[in-house]
Amino acid sequence: MPSIFLMPSTPSDSTSRRRLLLYCASTLALLAGAGCKRSAPATCPASNLSSDELNVRTVLGYVDSSVDAAKTCAKCQQYVPADPCGSCKVVNGAIHPDGYCRAFVAL
Ligand code: SF4
């Protein structure tokens, strides 16, 4: 019965078999990597927060996207990572890893 998995057993074909196995392993690794890679969400909405908590976000100028790549929530001492949105020890609610506020403290 012909099969694409049928492997010839001559010595010269062992190189082809090795190449096929390497190709399959590489393809699986790429597919697994693509499946595991998660991108950050566009926004981390503040829901179920009190008016005081929302006020803290506003007063500290929290934004989901920092204008300075060196100053993002993911690089702040107050950030608590989680997927997809983290949290903060100062600002309540969902915090974007690329976000920023005036309470930023560099790691
Ligand atoms: Fe982001 Fe501000 Fe919290 Fe730091 S303090 S993690 S910059 S919200």
Side-chain angles (χ1 to χ4, degrees), residues 62 73 76 78-79 88 90-91 95 100-101 103-105:
Y62 173 79
C73 293
C76 175
Q78 313 297 349
Y79 186 62
C88 173
V90 177
V91 178
I95 300 294
Y100 170 80
C101 88
F104 174 87
V105 179

Side-chain angles (χ1 to χ4, degrees), residues 24-71:
C24 290
S26 300
T27 302
L28 287 174
L30 283 172
L31 291 173
C36 293
K37 191 173 183 179
R38 300 187 74 164
S39 58
T43 61
C44 291
S47 55
N48 301 322
L49 295 180
S50 69
S51 59
D52 285 347
E53 291 169 323
L54 287 170
N55 195 37
V56 169
R57 280 175 92 95
T58 302
V59 167
L60 291 177
Y62 173 79
V63 289
D64 279 335
S65 181
S66 175
V67 294
D68 185 346
K71 293 181 178 179

